Amino acid sequence: MTIRGEIGSYSLSSPQDAQQVADYLWNTYLGGQSSTRPLGDAVLDGIDFDIEQGTDQFWSDLAKALAAHNSQKKVYLSAAPQCPFPGNGVANQLLPAVREGLFDYVWVQFYNNPQCQYGSGNADALLARWNEWTQLNTNQLFLGVPAAPGAAGSGYIPPDALISQVLPTIKSSPKYGGVMLWDRFFDQQNGYSNAIKGSIN
């Protein structure tokens, strides 16, 4: 089982700062050693980058520094960038690092951005951006969608529309990894994963 920790909004000031953060994460949560490990003997398998604020600088440095520990223990790296392509401002802080192919999994958030999400029964904008994301140097690419109308500000796709309008196209990509739902609470309330699980592979 893979268990990852998540980095939220944060700004890195330099490559040296990125290295210090990587060392802290390795020693405190991953395979390193520290006297202040908050999870005790538990060891996380990786780190998820969910950066929506701050600058877009030095995330590649952080990912490279974390991946440098792979010779000791595999560190899985995942990213949850927003769907605008190319990103601008805080809309997509991770695009430069994603372009470098540093992540094992990329869960693109196809919601809360009208220019690249499902809307008014139409999936054209979403599919156009998906095709652009597949051109990047990524490994497995996941379609991130809200699990219920209340899970995000916009971009909810009814399960039947996902199955009929979106999945047939995106599953043709060799980079397709599956569907990411935000979030588990809303999924349990709405039954979204149960409705689509027979169609995602």
Side-chain angles (χ1 to χ4, degrees), residues 11-28:
S11 291
L12 298 169
S13 60
S14 67
Q16 294 75 24
D17 186 23
Q19 182 64 59
Q20 290 178 352
V21 172
D23 291 342
Y24 171 79
L25 293 171
W26 171 256
N27 289 317
T28 309

Side-chain angles (χ1 to χ4, degrees), residues 20-137:
Q20 290 178 352
V21 172
D23 291 342
Y24 171 79
L25 293 171
W26 171 256
N27 289 317
T28 309
Y29 297 102
L30 299 165
Q33 305 229 346
S34 171
S35 60
T36 58
R37 290 182 66 92
L39 303 178
D41 293 335
V43 177
L44 300 183
D45 291 334
I47 299 292
D48 180 61
F49 289 60
D50 185 10
I51 311 300
E52 297 181 7
Q53 296 182 20
T55 70
D56 62 0
Q57 294 182 307
F58 311 116
W59 296 114
S60 296
D61 295 278
L62 178 58
K64 287 175 184 174
L66 287 167
H69 291 287
N70 282 342
S71 61
Q72 300 165 271
K73 177 186 181 296
K74 171 63 179 174
V75 177
Y76 291 94
L77 298 179
S78 58
Q82 296 188 47
C83 59
F85 191 100
N88 59 40
V90 298
N92 196 336
Q93 303 299 349
L94 289 172
L95 187 57
V98 172
R99 286 185 190 277
E100 293 191 43
L102 299 172
F103 298 102
D104 298 288
Y105 312 102
V106 179
W107 344 86
V108 184
Q109 301 177 38
F110 284 93
Y111 50 90
N112 291 338
N113 289 282
Q115 68 270 41
C116 52
Q117 68 186 24
Y118 181 87
S120 302
N122 189 300
D124 290 349
L126 182 155
L127 293 174
R129 297 297 81 74
W130 169 270
N131 287 335
E132 290 178 328
W133 277 98
T134 64
Q135 302 309 305
L136 295 182
N137 184 23

Side-chain angles (χ1 to χ4, degrees), residues 145-152 156 181-193:
V145 296
Y156 176 73
L181 298 178
W182 179 261
D183 60 11
R184 179 58 176 157
F185 170 80
F186 285 100
D187 180 36
Q188 288 180 311
Q189 303 298 309
N190 198 33
Y192 201 104
S193 60

